[in-house]
Amino acid sequence: MGSGIAEVFARAGLDTVVCERDATALRAARARIDHSLHRAVDRGRIDPEDREDAWAHLLFADDLEALADRQLVVEAVVEDEAVKTEVLSGLDKILAAEDAVLATNTSAIPVTRLGIATGRASHVLGLHFFNPAPVMPLVELVESLHTHPEVAQRVEAFATGTLGKRVIRSRDRAGFVVNALLVPYLLSAIRMAEAGHAAPEDIDAGMVHGCAHPMGPLHLADLIGLDTVEAIARSLYEEYKEPLYAPPPLLSRMVEAGLLGRKSGCGFHPYREG
């Protein structure tokens, strides 16, 4: 997600710093963005000149200090509240401008809890992109109880006018709009597979060919990442205590086994030989 969001910013002509503390992950981010930009050219979405211009707007760094002069920082680390809190707290101390905005790309963690870990809760909000960020037009904007209305208005105008995204607003509730509706559907499909009601390929085929969905729920869960689906489900269950939000045992076992979906090569469907 971080690579995709960085690409969106660079393609909008914005000087963009991509920061990843791990050198291997930073190299992977560069490779993902490069591959995505070349694919966009191959598919006729952008011209070769646009690809070169976007690449010229990208800077890669392995130290958060490289973000000190930024006006907007989008945090897109793992969907873990403790990790996100640590990163946002560190960024708060680094950013030089008092009116710099910290945005979190969390899928489900309440923004208020993340914002109060900083000294600028009025300038912290949720800016939730969807995968793949360069292609999907939607962004959820989430104000916490502390977010200043003017800050939210400024970021919404930026997301629509500069990034060209369709923005919807949500109250600060776990899952926001999309995942509060989507994740129970995905969990229901996982429970159906777990119970042996139907095979994964048949569950997916049913929703694709019977309901005209572009992708079946288990394929979609694999694309999102089963660890991310589980993390969102836990956040939803913690917030609402509704059984339909609880991660099914099969999902938890697959995550423990490292079967995370497309990114690991295997989930409910295989994505590489063996």
Side-chain angles (χ1 to χ4, degrees):
M1 283 300 299
S3 300
I5 295 167
E7 181 183 337
V8 169
F9 280 56
R11 282 169 60 171
L14 302 166
D15 289 330
T16 305
V17 178
V18 182
C19 188
E20 175 62 70
R21 289 173 173 172
D22 180 76
T24 301
L26 188 62
R27 287 193 296 271
R30 289 178 64 103
R32 276 194 299 271
I33 296 173
D34 186 51
H35 175 72
S36 178
L37 287 170
H38 276 96
R39 185 171 55 187
V41 172
D42 293 340
R43 295 183 177 180
R45 294 195 183 116
I46 61 173
D47 296 326
E49 295 78 12
D50 296 327
R51 187 202 72 82
E52 293 177 9
D53 184 65
W55 195 255
H57 282 89
L58 287 163
L59 176 68
F60 296 85
D62 59 4
D63 191 331
L64 290 180
E65 292 286 349
L67 304 173
D69 65 343
R70 298 293 92 182
Q71 297 169 299
L72 170 67
V73 177
V74 180
E75 165 276 309
V77 300
V78 64
E79 191 70 5
D80 181 295
E81 184 174 340
V83 176
K84 287 184 179 292
T85 297
E86 179 186 359
V87 170
L88 290 168
S89 177
L91 286 168
D92 176 42
K93 297 178 177 64
I94 289 168
L95 292 178
E98 291 184 0
D99 63 347
V101 176
L102 280 173
T104 174
N105 186 57
T106 180
S107 302
I109 301 169
V111 177
T112 298
R113 295 214 298 259
L114 299 175
I116 60 176
T118 75
R120 63 178 76 216
S122 63
H123 284 65
V124 177
L125 47 69
L127 199 61
H128 181 217
F129 291 78
F130 289 82
N131 191 29
V135 176
M136 299 295 282
L138 186 68
V139 171
E140 288 179 316
L141 192 149
V142 185
E143 297 179 58
S144 80
L145 294 175
H146 294 289
T147 306
H148 195 287
E150 186 275 332
V151 172
Q153 291 167 7
R154 180 154 53 101
V155 173
E156 181 174 6
F158 167 77
T160 55
T162 303
L163 301 183
K165 294 296 187 180
R166 172 69 166 88
V167 176
I168 62 173
R169 290 213 184 199
S170 170
R171 291 187 175 182
D172 190 18
R173 301 291 186 270
F176 314 131
V177 174
V178 174
N179 280 317
L181 294 170
L182 174 64
V183 170
Y185 161 65
L186 301 182
L187 299 180
S188 180
I190 294 170
R191 292 189 185 99
M192 181 175 283
E194 183 175 43
H197 190 101
E201 57 268 25
D202 289 331
I203 294 170
D204 280 344
M207 298 308 295
V208 170
H209 301 290
C211 295
H213 287 201
M215 183 182 296
L218 299 177
H219 259 130
L220 180 54
D222 280 349
L223 175 63
I224 294 169
L226 300 188
D227 53 340
T228 301
V229 172
E230 185 192 34
I232 298 170
R234 291 190 186 282
S235 293
L236 288 166
Y237 184 71
E238 181 182 340
E239 179 100 332
Y240 300 108
K241 298 299 188 291
E242 293 280 357
L244 77 163
Y245 292 130
L250 175 60
L251 176 61
S252 299
R253 294 298 86 75
M254 291 179 73
V255 171
E256 290 169 356
L259 303 174
L260 307 181
R262 186 169 295 184
K263 63 185 174 184
S264 70
C266 187
F268 287 99
H269 301 281
Y271 298 93
R272 65 183 181 210
E273 291 185 7

